[in-house]
Amino acid sequence: MYKQLEQRGMAEPPVNVSTLTRMKRSGDPIACLTAYDASFAQLVDQAGTDLVLVGDSLGMVIQGHDTTVPVTVENIIYHTKVVSRGVQRAFLVSDMPFMSYSSKAQALENAVRLMQEGGAMMVKLEGGAGQIDIVAHLTAHDIPVCAHIGLKPQSVHKIGGFKVQGHDDSEARKMVEDAIGLESAGADIVLLECVPSELGKAVRDAVKVPVIGIGAGPDVDGQILVLYDILGITQGRLPRFVENYMEGAESNLDACVRFVRAVKDREYPAPKHCFS
Ligand code: KIV
């Protein structure tokens, strides 16, 4: 009965929460990418990515909005469904969109939909101490949760732009405390976006669960980037942590493989990708 989830007829077993925790403990970097459709999900999975995120960044890179705010639960369910058909080995995480987790009951209902209708294995939500009760409620129902702290793109209109977070000491201390609180509430992963590298390391050292960084420096347990950024599809001014892996690559698959290898070999992020 349990064979399906453990093997799916593959040489390597699929990644699960325990795999990721083990990787943190053994210092094996976790390589993560976003995906939004079945074909790219297959490439990303084939490239050896450990975790695939159906991010609400789809609002920007797929739908053409300026922010992630307009993304709906229906959008995420649709994209999770199609991505899940392309993923074999990687752990599949889906974003809870803006205002889809503003109460315990709403969060539980929407998380269940992402898992049952979409096929997500974990849900990700943005927020620090203010989300501890929501995270505790979801994890009390055995819903795996990734807590997204640092730059929270859903709060862009409140914070006044996509900016580096945790620059001053009190803000940095608060972020470490938030990570500890979220872990205590049951979060299985912390995603840390756009913070100085020193803070990335402090958060990584403060919790036992894996810390996945995006613009959080080299001293975290894993790295995630938006697929369309590493494939050179995204136009305009890009954040400094983005690297275009299509340059010099033979194919989209090759670019994804190069990203995964760079993370595993700790060549990404280099100092030029980091904030200090
Ligand atoms: O939505 C997304 O793609 C994200 C990334 C910033 C990791 O949350």
Side-chain angles (χ1 to χ4, degrees):
M1 177 172 81
Y2 300 132
K3 204 173 97 224
Q4 196 83 351
L5 193 58
E6 282 170 10
Q7 294 171 0
R8 292 187 198 148
M10 302 158 52
E12 247 192 295
V15 176
N16 58 38
V17 179
S18 317
T19 321
L20 299 172
T21 311
R22 256 196 325 270
M23 289 174 82
K24 171 172 181 129
R25 268 197 233 119
S26 59
D28 183 5
I30 302 167
C32 318
L33 280 169
T34 64
Y36 314 100
D37 69 39
S39 302
F40 274 127
Q42 207 175 353
L43 283 191
V44 162
D45 189 73
Q46 233 181 301
T49 307
D50 302 302
L51 182 153
V52 172
L53 170 70
V54 180
D56 60 359
S57 50
L58 71 85
M60 299 166 83
V61 300
I62 302 286
Q63 298 174 337
H65 297 294
D66 288 336
T67 74
T68 58
V69 171
V71 175
T72 64
V73 171
E74 300 301 331
N75 293 157
I76 298 282
I77 290 173
Y78 170 79
H79 286 279
T80 304
K81 244 186 222 175
V82 298
V83 165
S84 71
R85 295 185 197 127
V87 171
Q88 293 256 310
R89 174 186 168 271
F91 190 63
L92 181 56
V93 182
S94 293
D95 255 332
M96 305 270 301
F98 178 66
M99 284 299 139
S100 67
Y101 48 97
S102 59
S103 69
K104 288 183 191 173
Q106 187 199 28
L108 185 59
E109 185 184 327
N110 286 324
V112 168
R113 291 196 66 199
L114 297 191
M115 294 182 78
Q116 283 194 323
E117 296 176 43
M121 296 165 176
M122 175 180 279
V123 298
K124 172 163 88 59
L125 53 86
E126 295 181 11
Q131 298 299 345
I132 283 177
D133 284 352
I134 300 282
V135 171
H137 189 62
L138 294 181
T139 60
H141 288 83
D142 285 342
I143 296 192
V145 175
C146 170
H148 183 154
I149 58 174
L151 172 61
K152 293 169 285 179
Q154 290 173 11
S155 308
V156 63
H157 296 309
K158 180 80 178 159
I159 56 182
F162 298 106
K163 301 176 191 167
V164 180
Q165 302 293 303
H167 261 316
D168 69 69
D169 280 355
S170 67
E171 215 188 305
R173 257 197 312 276
K174 168 100 179 46
M175 217 179 283
V176 173
E177 280 164 18
D178 283 358
I180 294 170
L182 290 159
E183 177 182 47
S184 303
D188 304 276
I189 297 181
V190 170
L191 190 143
L192 186 57
E193 179 163 356
C194 240
V195 298
S197 302
E198 298 77 7
L199 181 51
K201 180 176 184 321
V203 172
R204 193 266 323 260
D205 292 346
V207 295
K208 290 197 178 65
V209 296
V211 176
I212 309 296
I214 173 163
D219 298 317
V220 286
D221 304 305
Q223 302 290 337
I224 185 162
L225 284 177
V226 168
L227 179 66
Y228 285 28
D229 291 349
I230 72 152
L231 295 182
I233 295 170
T234 313
Q235 299 296 302
R237 194 168 149 259
L238 297 172
R240 66 182 292 159
F241 53 77
V242 169
E243 178 73 33
N244 179 356
Y245 283 92
M246 255 333 260
E247 274 170 20
E250 286 169 8
S251 62
N252 291 318
L253 175 61
D254 186 33
C256 295
V257 168
R258 281 154 40 97
F259 167 73
V260 170
R261 205 177 301 139
V263 172
K264 301 279 179 191
D265 293 345
R266 298 184 188 283
E267 283 165 9
Y268 177 86
K272 68 171 180 174
H273 303 116
C274 301
F275 305 103
S276 61

